[in-house]
């Protein structure tokens, strides 16, 4: 691997390992367990990810960003092109460390950003050379915003250091303290997530028994009291237990003593509206994550154009700010200021706009027709060999001045002869 010494990064001595006294980032992992129909409280990432909408939103956001290659570009001949020979480009697009691919690295960074509020990445510089990018474990970093220092205590990656702010990559979720530390989306959406979790728990309680009836056993003649009340209660309990076992076993026909009867309980109005409430919760969660309902298979568009516009809106309103944040943070921490004018870090957005073959063909035609791409450039993007004459940029000639010889049906040669 080539050295990065031309960037002016001088080797730094390894600080002594410090163990055992670091504080970790405070977490909201206060697990609340409930039974039956009690209210659910969602405060942790594990609880939140059990909700289908949350799981899908986090999966879509992290997967969409990780699917876009983060490329290092260098300025040559007045324009920027991918610097494939630079080792940093390999780290960003293929494998940042021995334990992760570039896709897994970026995806899990985004997952931590949304679920924990912060994601910390350690650039491993050795001898002026960037050996790798390590995604630090959750709750292994404490940030002192007064001293602007990061204290790392990560036994998983065996990293124990105190770092300056320019020695660590810090991705933050929406913050409330001026941009120093991020807040988890779970904390912002805790109320609506708890409502959704309670609805799921209620659905489980309703539908888990299948089509088994629920009800109670009562005496046939309420005005007549036979024997002692305690003995009568025991008799009712014995019968109700037997009826419950018969119902759970799937038995359709069974007997009840003549002096007793089975009273079926009907579904309450609140239970009837449960599914509707769950649907409303889906839209609320989509609002918190900025994901269009189409992405979570709810409220899907009825026509292709509307679906296509939702994709454009998703890129413009949700992904673009996140991509800008990641590009800027990586660039500032990995590219020295002395050579910043020669390099760029950009996501390849062409990978996002995947469409049907017909639309793609029209796009290719327009790009070639107006000289944006040459034929060979398109062939190179598709992994095809170049063809003779395909390196020449072309321009459509269908537009001309209203008083030109072309509009009048005259040749340019005849026009010159008249003049």
């Amino acid at each position: 691997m080539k050295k990065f010494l031309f960037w002016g990064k001088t080797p730094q001595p390894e600080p002594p390992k410090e163990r055992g006294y670091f504080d970790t980032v405070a977490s909201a992992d206060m697990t609340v367990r409930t039974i039956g129909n009690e209210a659910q409280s969602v405060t942790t990432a594990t609880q939140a990810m059990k909700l289908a909408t949350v799981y899908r939103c986090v999966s879509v956001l992290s997967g969409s960003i990780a699917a876009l290659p983060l490329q290092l570009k260098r300025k040559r001949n007045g324009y920027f092109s991918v610097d494939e020979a630079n080792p940093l480009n390999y780290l960003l697009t293929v494998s940042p460390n021995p334990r992760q691919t570039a896709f897994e690295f970026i995806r899990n960074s985004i997952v931590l950003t949304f679920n924990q509020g912060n994601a910390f990445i350690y650039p491993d510089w050795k001898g002026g050379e960037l050996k790798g990018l390590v995604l630090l474990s959750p709750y292994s970093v404490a940030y002192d915003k007064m001293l602007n220092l990061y204290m790392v205590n990560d036994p998983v990656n065996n990293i124990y250091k105190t770092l300056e702010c320019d020695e660590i990559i810090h991705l933050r979720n929406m913050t409330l303290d001026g941009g120093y530390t991020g807040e988890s989306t779970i904390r912002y959406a805790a109320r609506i997530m708890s409502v959704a979790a309670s609805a799921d728990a209620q659905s489980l309680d309703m539908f888990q028994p299948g089509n088994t009836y629920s009800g109670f056993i009562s005496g046939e003649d309420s005005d007549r009291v036979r024997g002692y009340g305690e003995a009568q209660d025991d008799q009712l309990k014995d019968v109700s237990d037997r009826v419950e076992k018969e119902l759970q076993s799937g038995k359709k026909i069974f007997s009840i003593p003549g002096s007793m009867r089975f009273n079926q309980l009907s579904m309450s109005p609140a239970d009837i509206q449960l599914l509707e409430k769950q649907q409303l919760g889906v839209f609320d969660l989509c609002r918190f994550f900025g994901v269009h309902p189409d992405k979570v298979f709810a409220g899907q568009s009825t026509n292709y154009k509307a679906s296509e516009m939702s994709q454009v809106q998703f890129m413009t309103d949700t992904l673009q700010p996140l991509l800008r944040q990641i590009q800027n943070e990586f660039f500032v921490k990995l590219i020295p200021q002395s050579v910043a004018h020669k390099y760029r870090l950009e996501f390849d957005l062409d990978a996002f706009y995947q469409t049907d073959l017909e639309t793609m063909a029209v796009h290719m035609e327009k790009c070639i027709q107006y000289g944006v791409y040459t034929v060979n450039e398109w062939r190179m993007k598709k992994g095809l060999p170049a063809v003779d004459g395909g390196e020449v940029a072309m321009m459509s000639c269908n537009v001309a001045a209203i008083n030109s010889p072309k509009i009048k049906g005259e040749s340019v040669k005849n026009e010159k002869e008249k003049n």
Side-chain angles (χ1 to χ4, degrees):
M1 188 175 287
K2 297 182 179 180
K3 300 288 185 179
F4 283 12
L5 295 178
F6 66 93
W7 279 356
K9 189 75 175 183
T10 57
Q12 298 294 329
E14 290 289 335
K17 290 186 177 181
E18 302 168 318
R19 300 172 181 262
Y21 71 91
F22 294 103
D23 294 326
T24 56
V25 176
S27 68
D29 281 358
M30 302 293 293
T31 303
V32 179
R33 298 190 64 183
T34 59
I35 301 175
N37 296 332
E38 297 179 8
Q40 306 288 309
S41 179
V42 176
T43 56
T44 69
T46 301
Q47 293 171 327
M49 291 292 280
K50 291 180 180 179
L51 300 173
T53 306
V54 175
Y55 180 90
R56 179 60 181 168
C57 286
V58 175
S59 177
V60 166
L61 288 168
S62 60
S64 298
I65 295 176
L68 305 177
L70 180 58
Q71 299 173 330
L72 176 68
K73 296 183 177 181
R74 185 173 181 176
K75 192 174 184 179
R76 295 186 179 91
N77 301 323
Y79 69 95
F80 288 88
S81 60
V82 178
D83 190 0
E84 296 181 350
N86 196 307
L88 178 57
N89 193 67
Y90 178 87
L91 295 177
L92 294 175
T93 59
V94 182
S95 178
N97 58 70
R99 306 180 72 170
Q100 292 176 315
T101 64
F103 180 89
E104 295 169 339
F105 172 75
I106 294 294
R107 181 167 199 171
N108 285 282
S109 299
I110 301 303
V111 171
L112 287 178
T113 302
F114 279 100
N115 286 346
Q116 309 294 348
N118 302 273
F120 301 96
I121 299 169
Y122 172 63
D124 187 12
W125 293 91
K126 292 182 180 178
E129 180 181 0
L130 184 62
K131 291 291 186 178
L133 298 169
V134 181
L135 177 61
L136 298 175
S137 303
Y139 313 120
S140 65
V141 181
Y143 174 54
D144 188 335
K145 64 182 179 182
M146 303 299 294
L147 299 177
N148 199 20
L149 293 175
Y150 293 83
M151 293 165 284
V152 183
N153 182 22
D154 188 352
V156 176
N157 295 295
N158 195 29
I159 298 176
Y160 304 90
K161 296 177 180 289
T162 299
L163 303 173
E164 300 285 345
C165 65
D166 61 344
E167 296 176 314
I168 190 170
I169 297 173
H170 185 183
L171 301 180
R172 304 168 178 83
N173 197 24
M174 189 74 70
T175 177
L176 299 176
D177 62 355
Y180 302 104
T181 55
E183 289 284 350
S184 168
T185 304
I186 299 172
R187 179 168 295 184
Y188 293 125
R191 178 176 296 179
I192 188 60
M193 287 185 183
S194 297
V195 172
S198 297
D200 284 350
Q202 179 67 12
S203 298
L204 178 65
D205 185 67
M206 287 170 52
F207 298 115
Q208 190 175 35
N211 60 352
T212 304
Y213 290 112
S214 62
F216 61 91
I217 303 295
S218 65
E220 183 68 27
D221 298 323
S222 58
D223 296 335
R224 298 173 57 187
V225 179
R226 298 178 180 178
Y228 295 97
E230 185 176 353
Q232 188 179 17
D233 291 342
D234 290 342
Q235 292 172 357
L236 291 173
K237 184 178 183 305
D238 291 340
V239 174
S240 65
D241 290 342
R242 183 173 67 84
V243 170
E244 183 177 5
K245 291 180 180 179
E246 300 283 4
L247 290 171
Q248 290 180 348
S249 67
K251 194 171 182 180
K252 301 298 183 181
I253 301 176
F254 51 87
S255 62
I256 298 178
S259 60
M260 301 179 186
R261 63 181 176 183
F262 176 73
N263 302 274
Q264 181 182 344
L265 293 177
S266 60
M267 186 178 292
S268 66
D271 293 335
I272 296 174
Q273 296 178 1
L274 180 62
L275 295 178
E276 181 179 355
K277 182 61 180 177
Q278 285 180 307
Q279 183 71 11
L280 294 176
V282 169
F283 290 104
D284 284 337
L285 289 173
C286 287
R287 293 186 184 102
F288 273 105
F289 285 97
V291 175
H292 195 279
D294 284 359
K295 299 291 184 181
V296 299
F297 310 109
Q300 293 174 305
S301 303
T302 57
N303 59 77
Y304 176 79
K305 187 62 178 178
S307 180
E308 185 180 21
M309 290 307 299
S310 69
Q311 182 81 341
V312 175
Q313 184 181 7
F314 177 60
M315 167 57 76
T316 304
D317 298 338
T318 302
L319 290 188
Q320 192 63 38
L322 295 174
L323 299 179
R324 171 61 177 166
Q325 177 193 8
I326 297 170
Q327 291 173 179
N328 200 33
E329 180 69 11
F330 274 72
F331 187 85
V332 170
K333 301 301 174 65
L334 298 179
I335 310 297
Q337 186 177 359
S338 58
V339 294
H341 63 286
K342 298 181 180 179
Y343 290 91
R344 283 183 182 176
L345 276 176
E346 292 181 341
F347 282 98
D348 181 11
L349 299 185
D350 288 343
F352 179 79
Y353 295 105
Q354 299 294 329
T355 183
D356 61 277
L357 296 179
E358 183 178 357
T359 305
M360 178 60 68
V362 173
H363 173 63
M364 294 172 60
E365 179 186 359
K366 295 295 183 182
C367 289
I368 295 174
Q369 182 178 357
Y370 293 105
V372 179
Y373 286 107
T374 65
V375 172
N376 282 346
E377 286 173 337
W378 264 118
R379 293 181 64 85
M380 181 178 64
K381 291 171 71 69
K382 297 300 180 180
L384 300 174
V387 295
D388 293 338
E391 69 280 357
V392 179
M394 291 181 281
M395 178 63 68
S396 175
C397 298
N398 292 331
V399 180
I402 194 169
N403 60 349
S404 67
K406 184 177 180 181
I407 298 297
K408 297 178 180 179
E410 302 175 356
S411 65
V412 178
K413 183 178 180 181
N414 294 337
E415 182 69 15
K416 290 181 178 180
E417 291 177 354
K418 289 181 180 179
N419 294 334

